[in-house]
């Protein structure tokens, strides 16, 4: 997704190596995705749903 | 000892035959030191570096730049890197930023290889509809995907 939009930063984080992040983001299952600290979900989801989450995170009401 | 078996190397070389543009892997790591500094050790930095060197050796289109996280902190800041090992993948066709934190092993290794191919080709494997929506998003978006090696 970051390939397509200059405003997207996409990180893959190996959580065992950064336990403070596991705690900070309450990681109980993987993969866990967090977008802009406001939208989050656990598990692999279809592309269309992922896009919906991105749209939600980028809507003006979500900061 | 090599991380990639002879068979793995051949398979990856075959995968890399489709690469078109150059890809830069900007790697942030820790200089090896005989001193042990409690709280500052990076357990996977050395292995990550070795793995990346093996990958880079399989294609002349992939280039590795290794930086010391502490000594070259300005470059780290430029890429907003606050932890290591870290990897920033850049290529002409990559508009945003793709980063990996931690050693990409297990399933994540194949994800990394897929990203390398996408970055080199300058296009994602996403549907046209998704690409259209993504290109219309005009707010900074930081996607973090937390994984474990499986």
């Amino acid at each position: 997704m970051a390939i397509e939009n200059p405003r997207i930063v996409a990180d893959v984080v190996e959580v065992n190596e950064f336990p403070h992040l596991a705690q900070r983001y309450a990681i109980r299952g993987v993969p866990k995705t967090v977008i802009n600290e406001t939208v989050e979900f656990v598990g692999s989801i279809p592309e269309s749903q992922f896009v919906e989450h991105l749209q939600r995170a980028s809507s003006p009401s979500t900061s | 000892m090599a991380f990639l078996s002879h068979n793995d190397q051949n398979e990856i070389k075959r995968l890399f035959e489709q690469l078109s543009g150059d890809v830069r892997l900007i790697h942030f790591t820790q200089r090896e030191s005989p001193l042990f500094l409690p709280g500052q050790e990076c357990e996977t930095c050395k292995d990550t570096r070795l793995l990346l060197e093996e990958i880079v050796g399989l294609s002349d289109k992939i280039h590795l730049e290794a930086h010391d996280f502490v000594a070259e902190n300005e470059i780290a800041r430029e890429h907003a890197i606050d932890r290591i090992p870290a990897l920033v993948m850049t290529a002409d066709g990559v508009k945003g930023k793709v980063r990996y934190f931690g050693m990409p092993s297990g399933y994540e290794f194949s994800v990394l290889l897929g990203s390398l191919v996408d970055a080199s080709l300058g296009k994602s494997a996403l549907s046209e509809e998704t690409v259209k929506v993504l290109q219309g998003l005009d707010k900074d978006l930081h996607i973090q995907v937390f994984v474990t090696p499986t």
Side-chain angles (χ1 to χ4, degrees), chain B:
Chain B
M1 199 186 79
F3 286 99
L4 303 173
S5 69
H6 192 63
N7 279 349
D8 290 340
Q9 290 181 20
N10 284 338
E11 219 169 293
I12 295 167
K13 269 186 198 167
R14 265 199 300 277
L15 178 77
F16 284 170
E17 279 170 13
Q18 59 184 306
L19 300 184
S20 61
D22 286 348
V23 181
R24 270 172 73 207
L25 298 180
I26 307 168
H27 175 44
F28 294 90
T29 185
Q30 188 175 48
R31 189 185 300 151
E32 277 181 66
S33 164
L35 293 174
F36 175 74
L37 302 171
Q40 291 188 26
E41 66 276 18
C42 171
E43 286 177 18
T44 58
C45 275
K46 187 180 172 190
D47 285 349
T48 302
R49 167 92 182 252
L50 293 173
L51 177 64
L52 292 175
E53 283 174 356
E54 285 186 35
I55 295 172
V56 168
L58 300 175
S59 169
D60 57 6
K61 292 202 183 295
I62 305 174
H63 311 278
L64 180 65
E65 281 177 37
H67 297 285
D68 184 278
F69 178 60
V70 177
E72 297 174 90
N73 58 47
E74 273 181 32
I75 302 172
R77 258 206 307 273
E78 207 178 288
H79 293 281
I81 300 297
D82 59 0
R83 53 194 182 267
I84 50 172
L87 179 69
V88 181
M89 190 183 294
T90 66
D92 284 347
V94 178
K95 300 182 185 82
K97 202 166 253 189
V98 180
R99 310 186 301 181
Y100 282 78
F101 293 96
M103 182 164 175
S105 57
Y107 176 69
E108 294 320 310
F109 182 66
S110 54
V111 173
L112 174 73
L113 295 179
S115 300
L116 271 169
V117 172
D118 290 347
S120 174
L121 298 176
K123 61 177 187 186
S124 60
L126 301 166
S127 72
E128 258 178 59
E129 205 181 331
T130 296
V131 171
K132 209 183 281 176
V133 174
L134 289 176
Q135 289 171 345
L137 298 176
D138 59 355
K139 183 176 169 181
D140 290 338
L141 289 166
H142 182 202
I143 306 170
Q144 297 183 83
V145 182
F146 297 94
V147 299
T148 52
T150 44

